[in-house]
Amino acid sequence: MRYFGGCDSGSTYTKCVIIDENGKMVADVTLKSRINAVLSCQDALDQAVAQVPDLNSAQDLTYLVGTGYGRNKVPFADENISEISCHAMGVHVADPSVKAIIDIGGQDVKGIAVDTDGTVLNFAMNDKCAAGTGRFFEAMARAFEMDLDEFSCLSLKAKNVIPITAQCTVFAESEVISLVGEGKPMDEIAAGIELSVAKRCFVMSKKAGAVDHITLTGGCAKNAGLKAAIEQVLKLKVTELPIDPQLMGALGAAEFARQKGM
């Protein structure tokens, strides 16, 4: 049996997926990224390889593709492919019915339109500011003195929405701290935060031409409050993936590795 790997070196998390020659996922790892991207990738690869009895090291993989923010830092990679292409391919592998993606990573937001073979039709990216990204949500959770899981569910309890007007992470954090200090309901402030990010996602998806059968990828795809806000803004139900949405980049990279290495 031959095995193929994909390593997604993100700014916040490093993900690794190994699939066999039939495309079956046999190993996956998600680790918090360290300052040294090479060490993060090596750790992820080592832990993924340890899940496959036939493999002793990443060098035993038939083909390995690196992707993500630090894709040039993946040890032993045979090739590097952009995270946009890998997310599109990963989602296509997970659910071929999906035609559009909103990817919310640690430092950017992307809208991606996907063709019937998993290639990218078009995309749009907001990479000028951290607002609306994983870093933004970390800052907001910090302002609420909550962990991310607790914060992501807070807005679901809100009966009203307090709008957040700041378009910058730093200013938005100050605005949120002021609202909390004024004694405004925290769930309604959280609802305003989720709605402001959902509107950014709407703009990115429209710029990419993504209109239907949409799913979310990246770590923020697990934010229940954000998912509900996006469904409200887009006026459609977001498709749930059968595989962890945070792994889509690594899965797509592994699938590209399989196609190129077979």
Side-chain angles (χ1 to χ4, degrees), residues 136 139-140 142-143 166 168-178:
F136 177 77
M140 294 302 104
R142 187 168 59 244
C168 162
T169 297
V170 175
F171 293 140
E173 186 172 9
S174 296
E175 185 177 354
V176 167
I177 290 172
S178 296

Side-chain angles (χ1 to χ4, degrees), residues 40-157:
S40 297
C41 296
Q42 186 65 67
D43 285 348
L45 284 165
D46 288 345
Q47 291 189 34
V49 164
Q51 297 174 27
V52 185
D54 294 343
L55 299 175
N56 293 312
S57 77
Q59 290 172 289
D60 292 339
L61 293 166
T62 301
Y63 208 91
L64 173 63
V65 168
T67 189
Y69 181 77
R71 57 182 176 272
N72 295 320
K73 305 293 185 182
V74 178
F76 317 120
D78 296 287
E79 187 175 352
N80 302 317
I81 297 177
S82 82
E83 62 268 33
I84 296 167
S85 294
C86 288
H87 273 261
M89 182 56 73
V91 167
H92 178 71
V93 169
D95 185 345
S97 73
V98 174
K99 299 295 179 268
I101 301 166
I102 296 173
D103 172 42
I104 311 171
Q107 295 194 129
D108 56 40
V109 179
K110 308 180 193 75
I112 306 170
V114 186
D115 208 343
T116 51
D117 61 354
T119 57
V120 177
L121 276 175
N122 197 11
F123 75 95
M125 179 165 60
N126 170 29
D127 61 353
K128 302 299 183 186
C129 174
T133 70
R135 297 286 189 196
F136 177 77
F137 282 111
E138 287 179 356
M140 294 302 104
R142 187 168 59 244
F144 279 77
E145 297 182 336
M146 294 179 176
D147 62 35
L148 274 173
D149 289 340
E150 189 178 5
F151 174 77
S152 72
C153 297
L154 184 61
S155 65
L156 299 175
K157 306 171 186 173

Side-chain angles (χ1 to χ4, degrees), residues 230-250:
I230 288 174
E231 289 181 333
Q232 178 187 343
V233 172
L234 267 62
K235 296 182 171 54
L236 57 81
K237 189 165 181 60
V238 169
T239 300
E240 293 276 0
L241 294 172
I243 300 172
D244 183 346
Q246 197 169 7
L247 292 174
M248 288 302 107

